[in-house]
PDB file of all heavy atoms in Angstrom:
ATOM      1  N   SER A  11     139.625  75.793  79.817  1.00 96.00           N
ATOM      2  CA  SER A  11     138.778  76.047  80.979  1.00 96.00           C
ATOM      3  C   SER A  11     139.263  77.215  81.798  1.00 96.00           C
ATOM      4  O   SER A  11     140.377  77.722  81.593  1.00 96.00           O
ATOM      5  CB  SER A  11     138.735  74.799  81.875  1.00 96.00           C
ATOM      6  OG  SER A  11     140.011  74.595  82.451  1.00 96.00           O
ATOM      7  N   LYS A  12     138.448  77.614  82.729  1.00 94.00           N
ATOM      8  CA  LYS A  12     138.800  78.629  83.700  1.00 94.00           C
ATOM      9  C   LYS A  12     138.052  78.313  84.970  1.00 94.00           C
ATOM     10  O   LYS A  12     136.831  78.165  84.960  1.00 94.00           O
ATOM     11  CB  LYS A  12     138.443  80.026  83.217  1.00 94.00           C
ATOM     12  CG  LYS A  12     138.940  81.131  84.111  1.00 94.00           C
ATOM     13  CD  LYS A  12     138.778  82.476  83.439  1.00 94.00           C
ATOM     14  CE  LYS A  12     139.540  83.510  84.226  1.00 94.00           C
ATOM     15  NZ  LYS A  12     139.535  84.793  83.525  1.00 94.00           N
ATOM     16  N   THR A  13     138.793  78.206  86.072  1.00 92.00           N
ATOM     17  CA  THR A  13     138.184  77.900  87.373  1.00 92.00           C
ATOM     18  C   THR A  13     138.401  79.087  88.293  1.00 92.00           C
ATOM     19  O   THR A  13     139.554  79.496  88.529  1.00 92.00           O
ATOM     20  CB  THR A  13     138.841  76.633  87.978  1.00 92.00           C
ATOM     21  OG1 THR A  13     138.756  75.569  87.027  1.00 92.00           O
ATOM     22  CG2 THR A  13     138.155  76.219  89.246  1.00 92.00           C
ATOM     23  N   LEU A  14     137.340  79.596  88.847  1.00 92.00           N
ATOM     24  CA  LEU A  14     137.381  80.734  89.751  1.00 92.00           C
ATOM     25  C   LEU A  14     136.881  80.310  91.128  1.00 92.00           C
ATOM     26  O   LEU A  14     135.995  79.451  91.227  1.00 92.00           O
ATOM     27  CB  LEU A  14     136.533  81.889  89.224  1.00 92.00           C
ATOM     28  CG  LEU A  14     136.894  82.421  87.846  1.00 92.00           C
ATOM     29  CD1 LEU A  14     135.824  83.364  87.335  1.00 92.00           C
ATOM     30  CD2 LEU A  14     138.234  83.110  87.888  1.00 92.00           C
ATOM     31  N   ASP A  15     137.441  80.898  92.160  1.00 88.00           N
ATOM     32  CA  ASP A  15     136.945  80.649  93.505  1.00 88.00           C
ATOM     33  C   ASP A  15     137.331  81.813  94.412  1.00 88.00           C
ATOM     34  O   ASP A  15     137.906  82.798  93.964  1.00 88.00           O
ATOM     35  CB  ASP A  15     137.443  79.302  94.069  1.00 88.00           C
ATOM     36  CG  ASP A  15     138.917  79.282  94.428  1.00 88.00           C
ATOM     37  OD1 ASP A  15     139.629  80.297  94.254  1.00 88.00           O
ATOM     38  OD2 ASP A  15     139.382  78.224  94.879  1.00 88.00           O
ATOM     39  N   THR A  16     137.008  81.685  95.683  1.00 84.00           N
ATOM     40  CA  THR A  16     137.367  82.714  96.640  1.00 84.00           C
ATOM     41  C   THR A  16     138.573  82.254  97.444  1.00 84.00           C
ATOM     42  O   THR A  16     138.588  82.261  98.653  1.00 84.00           O
ATOM     43  CB  THR A  16     136.197  83.040  97.606  1.00 84.00           C
ATOM     44  OG1 THR A  16     135.776  81.811  98.196  1.00 84.00           O
ATOM     45  CG2 THR A  16     135.072  83.706  96.883  1.00 84.00           C
ATOM     46  N   ASP A  17     139.579  81.815  96.754  1.00 67.00           N
ATOM     47  CA  ASP A  17     140.899  81.371  97.252  1.00 67.00           C
ATOM     48  C   ASP A  17     140.854  80.363  98.390  1.00 67.00           C
ATOM     49  O   ASP A  17     141.661  80.436  99.286  1.00 67.00           O
ATOM     50  CB  ASP A  17     141.771  82.571  97.563  1.00 67.00           C
ATOM     51  CG  ASP A  17     141.436  83.327  98.857  1.00 67.00           C
ATOM     52  OD1 ASP A  17     140.461  83.009  99.524  1.00 67.00           O
ATOM     53  OD2 ASP A  17     142.195  84.229  99.158  1.00 67.00           O
ATOM     54  N   GLY A  18     139.973  79.379  98.318  1.00 57.00           N
ATOM     55  CA  GLY A  18     139.900  78.372  99.359  1.00 57.00           C
ATOM     56  C   GLY A  18     141.177  77.600  99.542  1.00 57.00           C
ATOM     57  O   GLY A  18     141.485  77.132 100.632  1.00 57.00           O
ATOM     58  N   ALA A  19     141.971  77.424  98.485  1.00 52.00           N
ATOM     59  CA  ALA A  19     143.216  76.679  98.614  1.00 52.00           C
ATOM     60  C   ALA A  19     144.385  77.562  98.997  1.00 52.00           C
ATOM     61  O   ALA A  19     145.452  77.093  99.304  1.00 52.00           O
ATOM     62  CB  ALA A  19     143.531  75.946  97.315  1.00 52.00           C
ATOM     63  N   ASN A  20     144.192  78.892  98.962  1.00 56.00           N
ATOM     64  CA  ASN A  20     145.274  79.816  99.304  1.00 56.00           C
ATOM     65  C   ASN A  20     145.121  80.300 100.713  1.00 56.00           C
ATOM     66  O   ASN A  20     144.837  81.458 100.990  1.00 56.00           O
ATOM     67  CB  ASN A  20     145.252  80.996  98.328  1.00 56.00           C
ATOM     68  CG  ASN A  20     145.536  80.584  96.925  1.00 56.00           C
ATOM     69  OD1 ASN A  20     146.491  79.863  96.695  1.00 56.00           O
ATOM     70  ND2 ASN A  20     144.721  80.989  95.991  1.00 56.00           N
ATOM     71  N   ILE A  21     145.279  79.385 101.638  1.00 56.00           N
ATOM     72  CA  ILE A  21     145.119  79.703 103.057  1.00 56.00           C
ATOM     73  C   ILE A  21     146.417  79.453 103.813  1.00 56.00           C
ATOM     74  O   ILE A  21     147.286  78.747 103.377  1.00 56.00           O
ATOM     75  CB  ILE A  21     143.981  78.889 103.694  1.00 56.00           C
ATOM     76  CG1 ILE A  21     144.229  77.383 103.529  1.00 56.00           C
ATOM     77  CG2 ILE A  21     142.635  79.298 103.154  1.00 56.00           C
ATOM     78  CD1 ILE A  21     143.270  76.523 104.242  1.00 56.00           C
ATOM     79  N   ASN A  22     146.529  80.079 104.946  1.00 53.00           N
ATOM     80  CA  ASN A  22     147.688  79.916 105.812  1.00 53.00           C
ATOM     81  C   ASN A  22     147.252  79.029 106.957  1.00 53.00           C
ATOM     82  O   ASN A  22     146.475  79.447 107.817  1.00 53.00           O
ATOM     83  CB  ASN A  22     148.143  81.300 106.304  1.00 53.00           C
ATOM     84  CG  ASN A  22     149.269  81.220 107.274  1.00 53.00           C
ATOM     85  OD1 ASN A  22     149.798  80.140 107.554  1.00 53.00           O
ATOM     86  ND2 ASN A  22     149.678  82.355 107.818  1.00 53.00           N
ATOM     87  N   GLY A  23     147.748  77.801 107.023  1.00 54.00           N
ATOM     88  CA  GLY A  23     147.365  76.859 108.080  1.00 54.00           C
ATOM     89  C   GLY A  23     148.335  76.818 109.249  1.00 54.00           C
ATOM     90  O   GLY A  23     148.334  75.865 109.997  1.00 54.00           O
ATOM     91  N   THR A  24     149.166  77.817 109.387  1.00 53.00           N
ATOM     92  CA  THR A  24     150.169  77.825 110.452  1.00 53.00           C
ATOM     93  C   THR A  24     149.835  78.783 111.593  1.00 53.00           C
ATOM     94  O   THR A  24     150.667  79.079 112.399  1.00 53.00           O
ATOM     95  CB  THR A  24     151.561  78.168 109.877  1.00 53.00           C
ATOM     96  OG1 THR A  24     151.477  79.480 109.328  1.00 53.00           O
ATOM     97  CG2 THR A  24     151.988  77.170 108.839  1.00 53.00           C
ATOM     98  N   SER A  25     148.638  79.286 111.634  1.00 50.00           N
ATOM     99  CA  SER A  25     148.281  80.303 112.611  1.00 50.00           C
ATOM    100  C   SER A  25     147.636  79.648 113.853  1.00 50.00           C
ATOM    101  O   SER A  25     146.445  79.631 114.012  1.00 50.00           O
ATOM    102  CB  SER A  25     147.312  81.308 111.983  1.00 50.00           C
ATOM    103  OG  SER A  25     146.947  82.283 112.932  1.00 50.00           O
ATOM    104  N   ALA A  26     148.470  79.104 114.728  1.00 54.00           N
ATOM    105  CA  ALA A  26     148.031  78.495 116.003  1.00 54.00           C
ATOM    106  C   ALA A  26     146.923  77.478 115.803  1.00 54.00           C
ATOM    107  O   ALA A  26     145.955  77.427 116.565  1.00 54.00           O
ATOM    108  CB  ALA A  26     147.588  79.609 116.977  1.00 54.00           C
ATOM    109  N   GLY A  27     147.021  76.666 114.767  1.00 56.00           N
ATOM    110  CA  GLY A  27     146.040  75.631 114.520  1.00 56.00           C
ATOM    111  C   GLY A  27     144.818  76.105 113.749  1.00 56.00           C
ATOM    112  O   GLY A  27     143.963  75.314 113.399  1.00 56.00           O
ATOM    113  N   ASN A  28     144.717  77.377 113.477  1.00 58.00           N
ATOM    114  CA  ASN A  28     143.592  77.933 112.690  1.00 58.00           C
ATOM    115  C   ASN A  28     144.063  78.167 111.272  1.00 58.00           C
ATOM    116  O   ASN A  28     145.255  78.284 111.012  1.00 58.00           O
ATOM    117  CB  ASN A  28     143.123  79.280 113.297  1.00 58.00           C
ATOM    118  CG  ASN A  28     142.609  79.100 114.704  1.00 58.00           C
ATOM    119  OD1 ASN A  28     141.911  78.143 115.007  1.00 58.00           O
ATOM    120  ND2 ASN A  28     142.963  80.047 115.567  1.00 58.00           N
ATOM    121  N   THR A  29     143.120  78.221 110.382  1.00 62.00           N
ATOM    122  CA  THR A  29     143.474  78.559 108.991  1.00 62.00           C
ATOM    123  C   THR A  29     142.928  79.939 108.673  1.00 62.00           C
ATOM    124  O   THR A  29     141.752  80.208 108.862  1.00 62.00           O
ATOM    125  CB  THR A  29     142.918  77.516 108.005  1.00 62.00           C
ATOM    126  OG1 THR A  29     141.511  77.396 108.211  1.00 62.00           O
ATOM    127  CG2 THR A  29     143.583  76.197 108.165  1.00 62.00           C
ATOM    128  N   ASP A  30     143.792  80.798 108.201  1.00 64.00           N
ATOM    129  CA  ASP A  30     143.408  82.161 107.847  1.00 64.00           C
ATOM    130  C   ASP A  30     143.586  82.354 106.355  1.00 64.00           C
ATOM    131  O   ASP A  30     144.566  81.923 105.770  1.00 64.00           O
ATOM    132  CB  ASP A  30     144.318  83.169 108.562  1.00 64.00           C
ATOM    133  CG  ASP A  30     144.201  83.108 110.067  1.00 64.00           C
ATOM    134  OD1 ASP A  30     143.060  82.895 110.541  1.00 64.00           O
ATOM    135  OD2 ASP A  30     145.205  83.301 110.764  1.00 64.00           O
ATOM    136  N   THR A  31     142.631  83.039 105.759  1.00 74.00           N
ATOM    137  CA  THR A  31     142.771  83.417 104.346  1.00 74.00           C
ATOM    138  C   THR A  31     143.843  84.471 104.214  1.00 74.00           C
ATOM    139  O   THR A  31     143.930  85.361 105.048  1.00 74.00           O
ATOM    140  CB  THR A  31     141.435  83.956 103.830  1.00 74.00           C
ATOM    141  OG1 THR A  31     140.430  82.968 103.988  1.00 74.00           O
ATOM    142  CG2 THR A  31     141.511  84.349 102.366  1.00 74.00           C
ATOM    143  N   LEU A  32     144.667  84.363 103.203  1.00 83.00           N
ATOM    144  CA  LEU A  32     145.721  85.361 102.982  1.00 83.00           C
ATOM    145  C   LEU A  32     145.109  86.718 102.692  1.00 83.00           C
ATOM    146  O   LEU A  32     144.154  86.827 101.942  1.00 83.00           O
ATOM    147  CB  LEU A  32     146.613  84.963 101.810  1.00 83.00           C
ATOM    148  CG  LEU A  32     147.498  83.739 101.987  1.00 83.00           C
ATOM    149  CD1 LEU A  32     148.234  83.433 100.692  1.00 83.00           C
ATOM    150  CD2 LEU A  32     148.485  83.942 103.112  1.00 83.00           C
ATOM    151  N   GLY A  33     145.640  87.754 103.282  1.00 85.00           N
ATOM    152  CA  GLY A  33     145.201  89.100 102.998  1.00 85.00           C
ATOM    153  C   GLY A  33     143.917  89.477 103.725  1.00 85.00           C
ATOM    154  O   GLY A  33     143.567  88.922 104.760  1.00 85.00           O
ATOM    155  N   ASP A  34     143.227  90.454 103.161  1.00 86.00           N
ATOM    156  CA  ASP A  34     142.019  91.022 103.770  1.00 86.00           C
ATOM    157  C   ASP A  34     140.806  90.104 103.558  1.00 86.00           C
ATOM    158  O   ASP A  34     140.265  90.032 102.439  1.00 86.00           O
ATOM    159  CB  ASP A  34     141.772  92.393 103.175  1.00 86.00           C
ATOM    160  CG  ASP A  34     140.654  93.148 103.845  1.00 86.00           C
ATOM    161  OD1 ASP A  34     139.989  92.576 104.735  1.00 86.00           O
ATOM    162  OD2 ASP A  34     140.426  94.312 103.475  1.00 86.00           O
ATOM    163  N   GLN A  35     140.379  89.436 104.607  1.00 83.00           N
ATOM    164  CA  GLN A  35     139.245  88.517 104.510  1.00 83.00           C
ATOM    165  C   GLN A  35     137.933  89.243 104.221  1.00 83.00           C
ATOM    166  O   GLN A  35     136.955  88.638 103.812  1.00 83.00           O
ATOM    167  CB  GLN A  35     139.068  87.720 105.836  1.00 83.00           C
ATOM    168  CG  GLN A  35     140.208  86.824 106.148  1.00 83.00           C
ATOM    169  CD  GLN A  35     141.284  87.532 106.935  1.00 83.00           C
ATOM    170  OE1 GLN A  35     141.267  88.714 107.140  1.00 83.00           O
ATOM    171  NE2 GLN A  35     142.285  86.761 107.371  1.00 83.00           N
ATOM    172  N   ASN A  36     137.891  90.539 104.458  1.00 85.00           N
ATOM    173  CA  ASN A  36     136.677  91.317 104.234  1.00 85.00           C
ATOM    174  C   ASN A  36     136.628  91.966 102.833  1.00 85.00           C
ATOM    175  O   ASN A  36     135.768  92.797 102.610  1.00 85.00           O
ATOM    176  CB  ASN A  36     136.569  92.425 105.318  1.00 85.00           C
ATOM    177  CG  ASN A  36     136.406  91.823 106.689  1.00 85.00           C
ATOM    178  OD1 ASN A  36     135.654  90.869 106.878  1.00 85.00           O
ATOM    179  ND2 ASN A  36     137.151  92.352 107.641  1.00 85.00           N
ATOM    180  N   SER A  37     137.498  91.567 101.967  1.00 85.00           N
ATOM    181  CA  SER A  37     137.533  92.128 100.610  1.00 85.00           C
ATOM    182  C   SER A  37     137.201  91.038  99.599  1.00 85.00           C
ATOM    183  O   SER A  37     138.108  90.350  99.093  1.00 85.00           O
ATOM    184  CB  SER A  37     138.923  92.708 100.315  1.00 85.00           C
ATOM    185  OG  SER A  37     138.974  93.128  98.956  1.00 85.00           O
ATOM    186  N   PRO A  38     135.914  90.861  99.277  1.00 85.00           N
ATOM    187  CA  PRO A  38     135.541  89.837  98.289  1.00 85.00           C
ATOM    188  C   PRO A  38     136.212  90.041  96.932  1.00 85.00           C
ATOM    189  O   PRO A  38     136.544  89.083  96.261  1.00 85.00           O
ATOM    190  CB  PRO A  38     134.025  89.987  98.169  1.00 85.00           C
ATOM    191  CG  PRO A  38     133.593  90.716  99.388  1.00 85.00           C
ATOM    192  CD  PRO A  38     134.740  91.577  99.795  1.00 85.00           C
TER     193      PRO A  38
END
Side-chain angles (χ1 to χ4, degrees):
S11 68
K12 186 169 193 173
T13 306
L14 301 170
D15 72 0
T16 54
D17 74 356
N20 295 312
I21 57 173
N22 176 5
T24 61
S25 180
N28 299 318
T29 55
D30 297 324
T31 301
L32 292 176
D34 187 356
Q35 296 88 352
N36 296 316
S37 174

